[in-house]
Each structure stands twice: as structure tokens, then as C-alpha cells.
Amino acid sequence: MTGIRSCPVRPEYTLILVLLIFSVLLNLRLYVKVNSKLGVSAREDQRDPKIRHMSGENSDFSLSGALDVKHKVNSHKHQELRHPSSFHATEVDKHKTNNQKYMYNTQGIKLNQARDMLGSVDPKVESLKNNKDIIQNTIQTAVSGRDAEEGGGDHALRVSNYESALSSKLKKSNSTAMNLAEYQKPIQPRNINNVNPGTEKLDQPKLKWDRILSMTSYGDHSFNATASDSTSMNRPVPDTRPQSCKTIKYDTAHLPKTSVIIPFHNEAWSTLLRTVHSILDRTVDEMLVEVIMVDDASTHAYLKDPLTDYVSRFKKVHLLRLQERHGLMRARLQGAQAAHGEILFFLDSHSEVNSGWLEPVVARIQEKRNAVIIPTMDIIRHNTFAYNGASGLFHGSFTWKLDFKWKEVPKFIRDGLKTERDPIVTPVMVGCAFGIDKQYFFALGAYDTAMEIWGGENIEHSFRIWMCGGSLETLPCSHVAHVFKPKLPYKFPGNPFNVIQRNSIRVAEVWMDQYKHIFYATQDKLAAVDMAAIEARIKLRTDLQCKTFDWFLKTIAPDIPVPPFNTNVFGQLRHYWTQDNCLTVDENNGVVRLIKCGEQHISEQAFLIDQTGQFMHRKSCFSINENYSLQLDPLCQMSSHHYWQYDDYLIRHVPTNFCVTLDETTSIIALAQCDYKLKAQKWAFSYELNWVKNKDVKTVTEQALSPPNDALYFGQLKNVGSRKCVNAFETKEYSMIHCHRQPKFQQILHYDINGKLVYQNLCLSNSVKHKLVVLEKCSSKHGNWDYNNQTQQLRNKNTGLCLRHYRNYSILTFDLCNDSDPFQRWVFSRYVHSKQEL
């Protein structure tokens, strides 16, 4: 029997049809809305502090249907669909409300881009993307709605502008969290053999969208900005406080008022504004003086005028613009100096506060002025932006590399807690969120402004607070969520490692006393620092009459294991290949076994091999018994029987050439003939220490700041016209900086007898086009400069042109030599030798 065969409609074509229908309906509703609101005051649009057009929650002008479809089919350009960088502010009447501006953009470009991205779902739909008539009609429809609102205008020009914007946005997506190649990978359909017919639909666009939301490629922000953009600005979050915290009543009228300070640099639009909205939505109004957003010289266009327009609607939100990049510490300090609240709360720009977050913080500071309060940190997943409450009882600590580390609250602190609401003593703050009394903040020395960009400031601040009479506490009744990024997204001047290390050296030199040598021993190489700038912070410590670092370790952080000064390797002994398993010793019977590293008590982590070759756990030494198994002797003897070496992750007993081995079938710790290829014999200590190589940072700095023997001139290279100095970096980058702001360790450019301009092992040279100066690894070809001490000009022998600073830019160029041009004149800060002397 022959039946009629039905052809299922592809979901992609269905979605396109839905988009077209919504385009007509939405524009019709926009036209009706515009005509109905012509006489309404702009203030009426601002009565609701929630940004309805961004969250998709506008009940009057609903885009939910179109956005739901769009969210399922959008791709790596989704962030651009949400960003106001696509707005044409010059075409919009400045007196119109912000809501109307965003409606235009949503109505026109967003819908069109959603259509365009739909074409990449399947190659068979690709032809639809190129259908100029359909695209043109959609643009014409969107522009018509805009013309109706603006009273006409050059319709053709508007169409052209939309087409240009569309073309531009399709080509550029540099601030997205999505990797296009990842998106284009084919999706493996789910196995539906065991699914009853009709109970499950394979929605391919939705599957692709779900995959985008859990991407492992994080783009410019080191998190999935696509997932952030798809999340409402005003999303509800679970109240993660302990139940007993929710019943506490605060007399908010008599609590100190707070200024929240949010520094940011090139932050994602939705993430930044969700941080602000969470504060406005979940903070008692009478307790909040202001939210100060400190723009640390962001370069993204959407963080310029669009951000200014957006936040202007909120009376308590202020935008402070810094013209030059200052870094986290100085940006926070600028915000603190501008603040009017009695309490300062510093918050990262990728956070969300929870219900009742501020009251317990302020109440505790009112009770104890020198207490610095840290909320319990919930987690916003960087790949999905899911909100997860904190699990377990953890507080902040540090490693001897001066990195921050989460640690389970030790038993001696837990035993002192009477209720689940009690403040938890915390040795080191996490840094992304904390509250402090404003007067106390400045009396304690605010921030170390000689620290650069990011890194180490929370360690320094924590040591200073504790050692100078304050305290750090984590409050279980205050919860704030934070996006903990898998890598650093910040742009550093030069090598990021050197920037962070210099910050850490400042911490060690000022606060750690003799224990600073442990930090130095963990470093492969030390960078030169500005020792003179360190002296000012040492004087601050003296003036504040602060305690010693030894007091801090024994009183505040007694659970931190301290390596002896004759130790080669030290700390947790982690199996290199299984990672989560660590060596431990049963204190009852001395048996050596494996344990989950996170379950180790701090006293079990003190394994070491000292400079005499003794392999020790605490004060006992390991040896090999007659059965060739590992045993722990309570008495250590200086003999070859106790002689061990640690090399290439092998723990080798030198007399027998046997190595500590994990039996992977029984998980028993055994000894076997050493084999460098055997994974079961690979172990990693927490620290490998070199006490000789990096003994004195002062010596390292003095050597770095000494002119080489072949130098004629040395130090700062100052341009007479701009009064700025050449600031070179080991990453082959350079900039022009105000000379008084150039750190001492950067003042090491020299002109040598061979005519080279040298920074470390890099030379300034002409580019292939002979117009720009570049930094390259030095070779014989770079002896091409002639410095005339009379005219103060640097002439390039290859081009016959003179070095010139391109005014107002960090660019060095070449130009025809002109004695009267001050931007071609250069002065070195130090004269060293003449050619005759050398």
C-alpha cells in the first residue's frame, strides 16, 4: 500500500521563518509604542532601576521570543550583539532616553546579526545568508522604525550605516569568549536508540548553543563572555548564607555608610554591569553612599561613551576615568580618595553580591574598627557563569612563593568557633572583595603605590594588617561571588612574571625579615628592583611599630610549614603522575602510604631532603631496611646509609641506586631499581630551594644597574622635546614614559663603543620600512648609531635619518635630521667613558 511520504522541515529553516515573523511583529509593536509615548517624560523610563532592555525582562516591550530563538543559534559574535559598541550614538538625539537608544539597536542590528549567524548552522542554509534582498528588507524594516521615531531623515544613509555596521561586526569579534573553529566543529548527535519515539527532539542549534556556553576557550577576558552575555543583568541568585544568618536584624539607620569601589580595565560589558546591578539590587539603599567605577584606561569602545550613557541614569553610580594605566593598586587608591563613605568596600569587576551581604560587614567594622572583613566567596563558573555557593570551611593563606592559596580552616581555629556565624581568623585575604574603615585604610598606609598592575598586593596588605595591629576576618554571614579566572587576562608592561615578581620582592624586603630568603630560594632568577622606593615602605613599618614576621608565623599562621635553611627540597610530596595523591606517614606505626593531598594535615607535609642528603619527615630520617623497603628512623645519623638525592623527580637512595616507587596495582610505597623512564618513580616536592643563587636582591639590583665596560653613555635616554624617556622591556616592547615615573631598574639603556643602543640583550634598530624603531636581539648588524654630543642627535647610519619621538605617542620614528627640532634631541642621564678611554 502506497502512502504519502512527509518530508520533515529542517529546524534551521523553521528558525529563519520565526525570525522573519518576529521582525515584522516587533517593528509593529515598536511603532505603536513610539507613538503612544511621544508625550511621556523621560523620567518615566528611569523609574525602574533595572535595565529591562538588557535583561530581556521588559514586560511592556517584550523581546523574549526573539531573544530566546536568537540565544539558541547565536555564535562567537554573541557578545557583540549585547555590547553597546554597535550603537550609532551620533545618529541618536542626545535628549532621548537610554531605553530608546537600546531599542533601536536591538530592533535593527541584533536581529539581523542573529539571522546572519543562523546561516552558519548548516551549509545548506548558507545561501540564505547571502540573499541580499532578504537582508536588505530586514534592514529597511529596522530603519523604518527608527525613522518613525526620529521624524524622518536620510533613509538611504541609515541603510548604508546599518550595512556597514553589520559587515564590520561580522568581521570583528576580538572581545568574544567563543572560538570560531570550535563552533564550526560538527556536533555528535546524542544516542536516542533507547528513547521512546516522540519523547525527545534533537534541536541542533540548541545543542550548538549549549556547547558555546561551556567553551574552554576564554578569549580576551579569560572567561566565557558569551555565557556572561546570555545571563540576565538582574538574575536571581540562591541565598547561600547559613540559615541562622538570615534571621539577624540590623539597625541599618545607625550603621556606617559605605562606598563600593570597582576598578576595571577592558572588562566585559555584561560582567561589569552585572556587578553594579547586583549591588544596587541587593543593598539597603540607606547604607550605600555610592558605587565608584574606576576605569583604569580601558581601550574598548563600548567602555567609553556607551558606558557613560548607561551609568548616568543611576544617581549613586559614579564613573572615574584614569587617563593612563595605573594598575589595580593605584586605581583602587584613586577610588578610595574620591569616596565619601565611612566604610570602603573594594570589589572586582567580575563579581556578584548576595542577599544581605553588606550589613554583617559594616556591623563588624563598627564593632571593631581595625578589623578588615572578607565575605565568604561563592563561585561564578568561568565557563558557564553558573552561580555556586561556597563549600566547606576555607580561608586564605600563602605559599613560600608568595602566591595566594585557599586552605581548609585548621582545627585550632574551628575549635574556637561557637556558632556558624562567628568570624573566622584569616591569615591572608583573597583580595577580590573586602571591607575596611576608610580612616583606618589610610592610617595603615593604603596601598604600596610602587607595585605595578597586579599581583602581590593582597599578600602585602594582609601581612601589614596583622603585623601592625589589625585583624583579618572572614564572615560566614556575608556572601559575594567571584569569577576565578584560569589565567591572567591583563596586559602587563613587559614580562608579566617579572612584574609580579618585583611586587613580591617588595613584600619580602619590607615585611618578611630573615624569612625573605625562603622566598628568594624558590625563584629561578631575581629581577632588579628599585631599592630606594622600598625604603619608604620600610619607614612606614617602623613608624607603625609593627611586629616581626616571626610573630606572624607563630601566632597567626602556625600551620604554615617552614623549610629549614639547609633544605634542597621541601613540602608536600606529591606523586607526579597521579597528582592528587601525596606521600604521608602514619603517626601510629610509621608506615609510609598514599593519601589524598587535600586530606593531609599540615604536619604531614613536612618532607625534605637537606644539603647533607638526609631524606626526612619532620625530625626523623628515611633509610632502607634489610628487606629493601622504606623505613623511618627516629634518630638521624650522618652516614652513607642515609644519603639520598632528588634528581629529575626521582628520590634516589645513592648507595643502592634504588628509588621510591609507587606500586600502581596495590598503591603500596616500595623501592625499586631507579629508572628515569618509569612514571611510578616520579615525585614532586612543593619547593625546590636554591639558597646560594638568589641570596641577595640588593646585589642583583646593583649588578643590573651598573654600566657595562664598553658603555659610553648609560641610564635614562630622555627626549628633549617631549621630556619623556625610552622605557624598554625584555619582551621586545618599548614605550615613552615621563622620566620621573620610570623605575630605577628600567634606567639601563646604554650606548656602547660599537654604536649600539642596548637594553639588556636587545638593541634598538630600524624596521624594514626604515620609519619605525624596533627592539631586536643584538647582533653585529646593530652597530648602526652615531650619537652627536653637540647636537644631541642619534643618527641611524643605515638610513642617514635621525631618531625622533612622535609627539603624544609612544612611538619612535626616523626623520630628516634637523638640528632645530627638539624632538630629535636626546640626552643620556650618565656619561661613562669616551671612545679614547676605551
Side-chain angles (χ1 to χ4, degrees), residues 102-114:
Y102 286 87
M103 287 177 190
Y104 301 150
N105 185 70
T106 304
Q107 189 68 19
I109 297 178
K110 286 188 177 183
L111 185 60
N112 200 13
Q113 287 185 337

PDB file of all heavy atoms in Angstrom, residues 102-114:
ATOM      1  N   TYR A 102      18.656  51.849  23.101  1.00  0.00           N
ATOM      2  CA  TYR A 102      18.887  50.422  23.054  1.00  0.00           C
ATOM      3  C   TYR A 102      17.838  49.688  22.236  1.00  0.00           C
ATOM      4  O   TYR A 102      18.105  48.665  21.633  1.00  0.00           O
ATOM      5  CB  TYR A 102      18.943  49.866  24.485  1.00  0.00           C
ATOM      6  CG  TYR A 102      20.208  50.206  25.197  1.00  0.00           C
ATOM      7  CD1 TYR A 102      20.306  51.416  25.902  1.00  0.00           C
ATOM      8  CD2 TYR A 102      21.312  49.373  25.145  1.00  0.00           C
ATOM      9  CE1 TYR A 102      21.469  51.759  26.547  1.00  0.00           C
ATOM     10  CE2 TYR A 102      22.478  49.718  25.794  1.00  0.00           C
ATOM     11  CZ  TYR A 102      22.550  50.908  26.495  1.00  0.00           C
ATOM     12  OH  TYR A 102      23.715  51.239  27.134  1.00  0.00           O
ATOM     13  N   MET A 103      16.599  50.239  22.209  1.00  0.00           N
ATOM     14  CA  MET A 103      15.564  49.627  21.383  1.00  0.00           C
ATOM     15  C   MET A 103      15.962  49.652  19.917  1.00  0.00           C
ATOM     16  O   MET A 103      15.777  48.683  19.181  1.00  0.00           O
ATOM     17  CB  MET A 103      14.243  50.372  21.582  1.00  0.00           C
ATOM     18  CG  MET A 103      13.572  50.105  22.932  1.00  0.00           C
ATOM     19  SD  MET A 103      12.081  51.080  23.083  1.00  0.00           S
ATOM     20  CE  MET A 103      11.693  50.822  24.801  1.00  0.00           C
ATOM     21  N   TYR A 104      16.532  50.777  19.492  1.00  0.00           N
ATOM     22  CA  TYR A 104      16.942  50.865  18.083  1.00  0.00           C
ATOM     23  C   TYR A 104      17.925  49.762  17.755  1.00  0.00           C
ATOM     24  O   TYR A 104      17.812  49.057  16.756  1.00  0.00           O
ATOM     25  CB  TYR A 104      17.615  52.210  17.818  1.00  0.00           C
ATOM     26  CG  TYR A 104      16.767  53.411  18.117  1.00  0.00           C
ATOM     27  CD1 TYR A 104      17.357  54.600  18.533  1.00  0.00           C
ATOM     28  CD2 TYR A 104      15.376  53.373  17.981  1.00  0.00           C
ATOM     29  CE1 TYR A 104      16.591  55.709  18.808  1.00  0.00           C
ATOM     30  CE2 TYR A 104      14.608  54.477  18.261  1.00  0.00           C
ATOM     31  CZ  TYR A 104      15.214  55.645  18.672  1.00  0.00           C
ATOM     32  OH  TYR A 104      14.460  56.737  18.954  1.00  0.00           O
ATOM     33  N   ASN A 105      18.913  49.623  18.608  1.00  0.00           N
ATOM     34  CA  ASN A 105      19.963  48.657  18.321  1.00  0.00           C
ATOM     35  C   ASN A 105      19.415  47.235  18.341  1.00  0.00           C
ATOM     36  O   ASN A 105      19.725  46.418  17.483  1.00  0.00           O
ATOM     37  CB  ASN A 105      21.074  48.787  19.360  1.00  0.00           C
ATOM     38  CG  ASN A 105      22.238  47.886  19.041  1.00  0.00           C
ATOM     39  OD1 ASN A 105      22.947  48.120  18.087  1.00  0.00           O
ATOM     40  ND2 ASN A 105      22.404  46.846  19.825  1.00  0.00           N
ATOM     41  N   THR A 106      18.593  46.946  19.350  1.00  0.00           N
ATOM     42  CA  THR A 106      18.025  45.606  19.450  1.00  0.00           C
ATOM     43  C   THR A 106      17.166  45.290  18.245  1.00  0.00           C
ATOM     44  O   THR A 106      17.209  44.207  17.678  1.00  0.00           O
ATOM     45  CB  THR A 106      17.185  45.495  20.730  1.00  0.00           C
ATOM     46  OG1 THR A 106      18.011  45.834  21.844  1.00  0.00           O
ATOM     47  CG2 THR A 106      16.625  44.108  20.904  1.00  0.00           C
ATOM     48  N   GLN A 107      16.378  46.321  17.812  1.00  0.00           N
ATOM     49  CA  GLN A 107      15.451  46.104  16.711  1.00  0.00           C
ATOM     50  C   GLN A 107      16.171  45.875  15.386  1.00  0.00           C
ATOM     51  O   GLN A 107      15.749  45.046  14.602  1.00  0.00           O
ATOM     52  CB  GLN A 107      14.532  47.330  16.584  1.00  0.00           C
ATOM     53  CG  GLN A 107      13.393  47.138  15.609  1.00  0.00           C
ATOM     54  CD  GLN A 107      12.414  46.131  16.122  1.00  0.00           C
ATOM     55  OE1 GLN A 107      12.390  45.850  17.303  1.00  0.00           O
ATOM     56  NE2 GLN A 107      11.619  45.560  15.254  1.00  0.00           N
ATOM     57  N   GLY A 108      17.257  46.617  15.181  1.00  0.00           N
ATOM     58  CA  GLY A 108      17.924  46.562  13.889  1.00  0.00           C
ATOM     59  C   GLY A 108      19.043  45.556  13.812  1.00  0.00           C
ATOM     60  O   GLY A 108      18.874  44.446  13.337  1.00  0.00           O
ATOM     61  N   ILE A 109      20.186  45.935  14.346  1.00  0.00           N
ATOM     62  CA  ILE A 109      21.403  45.150  14.131  1.00  0.00           C
ATOM     63  C   ILE A 109      21.341  43.774  14.773  1.00  0.00           C
ATOM     64  O   ILE A 109      21.739  42.787  14.178  1.00  0.00           O
ATOM     65  CB  ILE A 109      22.626  45.929  14.654  1.00  0.00           C
ATOM     66  CG1 ILE A 109      22.771  47.220  13.847  1.00  0.00           C
ATOM     67  CG2 ILE A 109      23.886  45.113  14.555  1.00  0.00           C
ATOM     68  CD1 ILE A 109      23.912  48.092  14.313  1.00  0.00           C
ATOM     69  N   LYS A 110      20.804  43.707  16.015  1.00  0.00           N
ATOM     70  CA  LYS A 110      20.802  42.419  16.693  1.00  0.00           C
ATOM     71  C   LYS A 110      20.025  41.365  15.919  1.00  0.00           C
ATOM     72  O   LYS A 110      20.484  40.246  15.730  1.00  0.00           O
ATOM     73  CB  LYS A 110      20.222  42.559  18.102  1.00  0.00           C
ATOM     74  CG  LYS A 110      21.154  43.234  19.074  1.00  0.00           C
ATOM     75  CD  LYS A 110      20.586  43.159  20.469  1.00  0.00           C
ATOM     76  CE  LYS A 110      21.549  43.761  21.459  1.00  0.00           C
ATOM     77  NZ  LYS A 110      21.083  43.644  22.835  1.00  0.00           N
ATOM     78  N   LEU A 111      18.852  41.714  15.469  1.00  0.00           N
ATOM     79  CA  LEU A 111      18.018  40.758  14.755  1.00  0.00           C
ATOM     80  C   LEU A 111      18.680  40.340  13.455  1.00  0.00           C
ATOM     81  O   LEU A 111      18.678  39.170  13.083  1.00  0.00           O
ATOM     82  CB  LEU A 111      16.638  41.370  14.484  1.00  0.00           C
ATOM     83  CG  LEU A 111      15.610  40.436  13.852  1.00  0.00           C
ATOM     84  CD1 LEU A 111      15.372  39.245  14.768  1.00  0.00           C
ATOM     85  CD2 LEU A 111      14.321  41.183  13.586  1.00  0.00           C
ATOM     86  N   ASN A 112      19.283  41.299  12.784  1.00  0.00           N
ATOM     87  CA  ASN A 112      19.941  40.997  11.520  1.00  0.00           C
ATOM     88  C   ASN A 112      21.156  40.101  11.724  1.00  0.00           C
ATOM     89  O   ASN A 112      21.388  39.172  10.958  1.00  0.00           O
ATOM     90  CB  ASN A 112      20.359  42.316  10.840  1.00  0.00           C
ATOM     91  CG  ASN A 112      20.590  42.108   9.354  1.00  0.00           C
ATOM     92  OD1 ASN A 112      20.217  41.081   8.806  1.00  0.00           O
ATOM     93  ND2 ASN A 112      21.206  43.075   8.716  1.00  0.00           N
ATOM     94  N   GLN A 113      21.939  40.375  12.789  1.00  0.00           N
ATOM     95  CA  GLN A 113      23.098  39.523  13.046  1.00  0.00           C
ATOM     96  C   GLN A 113      22.665  38.119  13.462  1.00  0.00           C
ATOM     97  O   GLN A 113      23.317  37.133  13.122  1.00  0.00           O
ATOM     98  CB  GLN A 113      23.975  40.140  14.137  1.00  0.00           C
ATOM     99  CG  GLN A 113      24.753  41.354  13.645  1.00  0.00           C
ATOM    100  CD  GLN A 113      25.701  41.869  14.710  1.00  0.00           C
ATOM    101  OE1 GLN A 113      25.493  41.617  15.877  1.00  0.00           O
ATOM    102  NE2 GLN A 113      26.704  42.580  14.286  1.00  0.00           N
ATOM    103  N   ALA A 114      21.588  38.042  14.223  1.00  0.00           N
ATOM    104  CA  ALA A 114      21.086  36.723  14.600  1.00  0.00           C
ATOM    105  C   ALA A 114      20.725  35.923  13.357  1.00  0.00           C
ATOM    106  O   ALA A 114      21.019  34.739  13.244  1.00  0.00           O
ATOM    107  CB  ALA A 114      19.872  36.870  15.510  1.00  0.00           C
TER     108      ALA A 114
END
